[in-house]
Amino acid sequence: MGKKTHPLHIFQFCPRCGSAHFVEKDDMAKHCLDCHFVYYFNISASGAAFIVNNKGELMVCKRAKEPAKGTLDLPGGFIGINETGEEGIKREIHEETGIVIEECTYLFSLPNVYPYAGFEVHTLDAFYKCTVPSELTVQAQDDVEAIYWIPINELEPARFGLTSIRKAITRFIAEAQKKE
């Protein structure tokens, strides 16, 4: 992909007036010296799902695209404008697996940096748990190459390519072990 770059370093011109006098105010904002517009760089919202069947297996996906192509992942993605976290995760699950989720429960969130198109997208990843019947039919779609069901006690965090997903899998395994 090349060198990762913070988006504030990439955007060189004021989005309001087009001035090149668009300077960093701090690590979260740029200020236009001409029109005085301040652009605040905010995080993007993202979601990922722990989908567990009644056999105690977790649904994991093999990534079909960069970043981390070929590694394991959880179903999920960016939350859209005007979507709640729950609506966004249900949409992403449907796009990637064909599953229609009725309910999901929020678990926790983690900060993340997602490399995309030559710069770093700072995200807040919300994790949800969804329960489905084991006889459910799934189909890898969108940016998913394959879907697997792995027993929770056989999960290996190192096989997951994205940092926040690895951390979430580690946390999920620890919570599952506490319940045993």
Side-chain angles (χ1 to χ4, degrees), residues 5-177:
T5 306
H6 191 287
L8 288 180
H9 300 159
I10 292 174
F11 301 118
Q12 299 298 313
F13 301 97
C14 175
R16 179 194 272 168
C17 73
S19 170
H21 301 118
F22 195 46
V23 298
E24 287 186 41
K25 179 178 177 184
D26 55 36
D27 66 345
M28 292 184 60
K30 286 189 98 167
H31 175 248
C32 179
L33 299 176
D34 291 332
C35 75
H36 306 291
F37 174 75
V38 177
Y39 171 77
Y40 289 94
F41 177 73
N42 294 306
I43 61 170
S44 295
S46 180
F50 289 99
I51 301 175
V52 180
N53 65 19
N54 58 14
K55 294 179 182 178
E57 298 169 320
L58 179 68
M59 177 190 290
V60 299
C61 301
K62 183 176 181 183
R63 293 183 62 83
K65 299 177 182 176
E66 294 296 346
K69 180 180 178 179
T71 65
L72 295 182
D73 199 0
L74 295 173
F78 288 99
I79 306 301
I81 294 172
N82 295 320
E83 280 185 324
T84 66
E86 292 81 4
E87 290 167 343
I89 195 63
K90 288 177 184 180
R91 176 188 48 75
E92 284 287 344
I93 291 168
H94 186 259
E95 288 174 2
E96 293 180 352
T97 69
I99 298 172
V100 175
I101 295 293
E102 296 291 323
E103 288 188 40
C104 56
T105 305
Y106 172 79
L107 297 176
F108 56 86
S109 64
L110 294 170
N112 190 30
V113 177
Y114 185 83
Y116 180 77
F119 67 90
E120 299 173 335
V121 179
H122 293 253
T123 64
L124 181 62
D125 298 347
F127 292 87
Y128 297 87
K129 183 175 180 184
C130 307
T131 305
V132 296
S134 59
E135 60 277 349
L136 184 69
T137 302
V138 297
Q139 182 179 358
Q141 303 174 139
D142 196 29
D143 55 357
V144 172
E145 182 178 318
I147 298 171
Y148 311 102
W149 291 97
I150 299 177
I152 294 171
N153 63 353
E154 294 178 19
L155 290 169
E156 299 173 40
R159 295 184 61 201
F160 292 79
L162 301 173
T163 304
S164 71
I165 301 295
R166 256 192 322 276
K167 289 178 182 177
I169 290 288
T170 300
R171 185 170 172 176
F172 187 76
I173 292 168
E175 289 297 319
Q177 289 171 343

